[in-house]
Amino acid sequence: MMTQTQKAQAFAALHRPGDPVILFNAWDAGSAKAVAEAGATAIATGSWSVAAANGFGDGEGLPLDLAIAIAARIVAAVDLPVTLDFEGGYAVDPRRVCENFGLALAAGVIGCNFEDRVVGGEGLHPIAAQAARVEALRRAAERAGVPAFINARTDIFLGSKPETHDRAAADHALERARAYADAGASGFFVPGLADEGLLARICEASPLPVNAMMFAGMPSRRRLAELGVARISHGPGPYRQAMAVLTEAARAAFQG
């Protein structure tokens, strides 16, 4: 079995522009084992899916202690790197963010997604403030002695209409990517962006490997690789697909 440090190193090495790591997001130990048995090289949780599976809403509606406990059970269930969708770190203050990520690392995860939207509020954290929060995550990782993969997510595109996704928005994203890289981030996540030209621009200019998320209207996996994407996430899609199958099976059983 790999150590936590070895898993973190192996996970970082999977991020290759042009040959992206595929993350089919899980929500509990059982789904993580199923994804692992299908051939996954790493396991990622999705906050929306984990919250929904436990009767909570997204946006840190799932209590932090439960989120950590679920992550720990996933880590124990699979011998793969496990990265946690940590939303906004369950705090605004960098010191609290550092403490909370320390709990996640103690549970065995090797990294996290960390978003720049104001959870429970409006808009995005200012660049300098979010960079300080990213730096707090890196500080927690250094204290734990784990080379954690911090996937800095920007919600510039996810929270806006596609017609507003233009060069100015891409330039804003790149400004954030550079600041987050300087603060210690390992990757840059741009969910909601499907425009091939803008994806290519960000992949070319970002100092960090770029993560895209699959949803209706996204380019194919092969095309994303050609654009330079290094990581492809499936977000809440797997949970929604599983629940759709369950609903249809239950409906058939009731009708039969």
Side-chain angles (χ1 to χ4, degrees):
M1 293 180 62
M2 292 188 291
T3 66
Q4 188 177 14
T5 293
Q6 289 171 332
K7 289 178 180 178
Q9 293 169 337
F11 185 65
L14 293 172
H15 292 72
R16 297 184 293 269
D19 183 20
V21 57
I22 308 301
L23 297 175
F24 200 76
N25 299 72
W27 55 90
D28 60 12
S31 60
K33 290 183 70 173
V35 172
E37 290 169 3
T41 53
I43 299 296
T45 66
S47 65
W48 190 95
S49 305
V50 176
N54 288 277
F56 295 93
D58 197 22
E60 298 179 3
L62 182 75
L64 176 60
D65 58 350
L66 182 53
I68 299 297
I70 292 168
R73 292 184 69 86
I74 292 173
V75 169
V78 296
D79 189 25
L80 291 172
V82 176
T83 180
L84 172 69
D85 187 344
F86 206 40
E87 300 193 76
Y90 283 80
V92 173
D93 180 70
R95 289 173 296 179
R96 287 281 307 282
V97 170
C98 180
E99 293 170 2
N100 292 345
F101 191 43
L103 297 174
L105 291 167
V109 305
I110 52 76
C112 70
N113 277 354
F114 185 62
E115 60 199 50
D116 59 11
R117 75 181 177 96
V118 178
V119 178
E122 296 182 358
L124 309 182
H125 289 286
I127 293 176
Q130 184 65 8
R133 286 156 44 79
V134 171
E135 187 176 7
L137 294 177
R138 181 54 63 197
R139 187 161 59 250
E142 290 172 349
R143 289 177 180 176
V146 178
F149 195 100
I150 299 168
N151 199 37
R153 166 180 145 175
T154 185
D155 277 20
I156 290 172
F157 305 103
L158 190 62
S160 61
K161 296 180 179 180
E163 53 266 30
T164 67
H165 299 175
D166 55 16
R167 188 180 180 90
D171 288 346
H172 181 193
L174 286 168
E175 183 182 3
R176 286 182 176 266
R178 296 183 189 104
Y180 300 164
D182 289 344
S186 315
F188 188 53
F189 189 16
V190 288
L193 180 59
D195 183 277
E196 293 189 8
L198 296 180
L199 277 168
R201 173 173 170 74
I202 290 173
C203 288
E204 181 179 359
S206 172
L208 301 169
V210 174
N211 181 185
M213 185 173 74
M214 297 302 293
F215 61 93
M218 278 294 287
S220 68
R221 169 183 170 179
R222 177 175 294 182
R223 182 58 179 150
L224 289 173
E226 292 172 349
L227 296 173
V229 169
R231 170 172 170 169
I232 299 173
S233 302
H234 283 256
Y239 177 82
R240 287 172 169 157
Q241 292 169 15
M243 293 304 103
V245 171
L246 177 60
T247 299
E248 286 306 308
R251 182 175 291 117
F254 299 145
Q255 291 176 347

